[in-house]
Amino acid sequence: MAGRGDAKWLKGDTYAGDYEAGKRSGFGTYSYAAPKGEEEEEAEAKPPLAVYDGQYKDGVKSGVGKMTYASGEVYHGSWKGGVREGQGTMYYANGDLYTGQWVAGRKQGVGTYVFKASGARCTGTFYNNKVVDGGFVDTFGNAYTGRFRGVSEARVDYDLEGKFELASGAKASVPAEKRLVLYASNTPHPQDSVAMMLPSVVAIRWSRVRV
């Protein structure tokens, strides 16, 4: 079987596109149907969980494609073996975006994550969905360059020997025998202000601890 064709599965999924040797191959559109409740009528169809428009090879997503999720997220980029692989951009429902490399469906390699709410951005090397090395620039232009030990919405641990540069031009380094830890604070007292501002955080303070 080769050429164009349409298919529909019992669970409600549909595909319209190219076939080769009986498998999805070429360009096509696949719609992932939302599961129905036990008492729902056939006419009460829910919006699909996701819709994929793009290339296929040997029955799986492979090449360039766009996946639009019901949650509001959109991924546009490379696929391999049915998962995100290579260069691509994820647009998140809250307005954030990540553009860069993917491996086995995860952010891995060189990339940039942009926080829409604050305008902050993190560019560097990602591994298993987390940034491990690179730079962070906050909404005021203050910057950090170095390695990261951990990142969350409430706290960032910067690794040894990282460097800060304030928007004013002032610079500072994290001593090798210290580790800089930033804590979230809901009260923007001047004495608590520091070089970096995290997304969704009003102000932060810092302290050095021995490791």
Side-chain angles (χ1 to χ4, degrees):
M1 175 182 173
R4 298 282 298 180
D6 298 328
K8 184 174 182 178
W9 286 262
L10 292 176
K11 61 181 181 179
D13 289 5
T14 61
Y15 172 78
D18 298 329
Y19 284 89
E20 185 175 330
K23 296 181 179 181
R24 295 187 293 276
S25 191
F27 185 87
T29 299
Y30 194 107
S31 180
Y32 296 83
K36 296 181 179 181
E38 296 181 358
E39 298 181 358
E40 290 185 7
E41 299 179 1
E42 190 68 25
E44 297 178 328
K46 294 181 179 179
L49 294 177
V51 176
Y52 173 79
D53 292 290
Q55 295 175 307
Y56 280 86
K57 183 178 180 180
D58 293 330
V60 296
K61 296 183 287 293
S62 188
V64 178
K66 177 182 178 182
M67 181 76 86
T68 303
Y69 300 90
S71 63
E73 296 178 346
V74 177
Y75 172 81
H76 194 182
S78 297
W79 299 76
K80 183 178 180 180
V83 297
R84 297 185 288 271
E85 180 102 14
Q87 194 74 17
T89 301
M90 176 69 84
Y91 302 88
Y92 294 93
N94 66 354
D96 290 0
L97 72 83
Y98 168 81
T99 184
Q101 296 175 315
W102 299 76
V103 175
R106 294 176 176 271
K107 295 185 284 289
Q108 191 155 309
V110 178
T112 297
Y113 193 101
V114 180
F115 300 86
K116 182 181 179 180
S118 65
R121 64 175 55 217
C122 186
T123 299
T125 301
F126 287 74
Y127 180 77
N128 197 25
N129 281 336
K130 298 180 180 179
V131 62
V132 295
D133 183 86
F136 181 89
V137 180
D138 69 14
T139 186
F140 303 105
N142 303 311
Y144 166 82
T145 303
R147 294 186 59 82
F148 295 87
R149 293 197 177 200
V151 178
S152 69
E153 291 186 0
R155 171 173 171 159
V156 173
D157 286 353
Y158 298 103
D159 210 336
L160 307 179
E161 299 183 331
K163 297 183 182 299
F164 289 94
E165 182 171 355
L166 305 186
S168 64
K171 299 180 180 180
S173 298
V174 182
E177 73 278 7
K178 307 286 186 177
R179 179 166 58 127
L180 190 65
V181 183
L182 302 183
Y183 297 94
S185 171
N186 291 323
T187 305
H189 296 303
Q191 65 270 24
D192 288 340
S193 62
V194 75
M196 304 302 295
M197 295 292 291
L198 307 182
S200 304
V201 173
V202 177
I204 50 181
R205 65 182 187 274
W206 65 274
S207 61
R208 288 174 175 171
V209 295
R210 292 189 177 276
V211 292

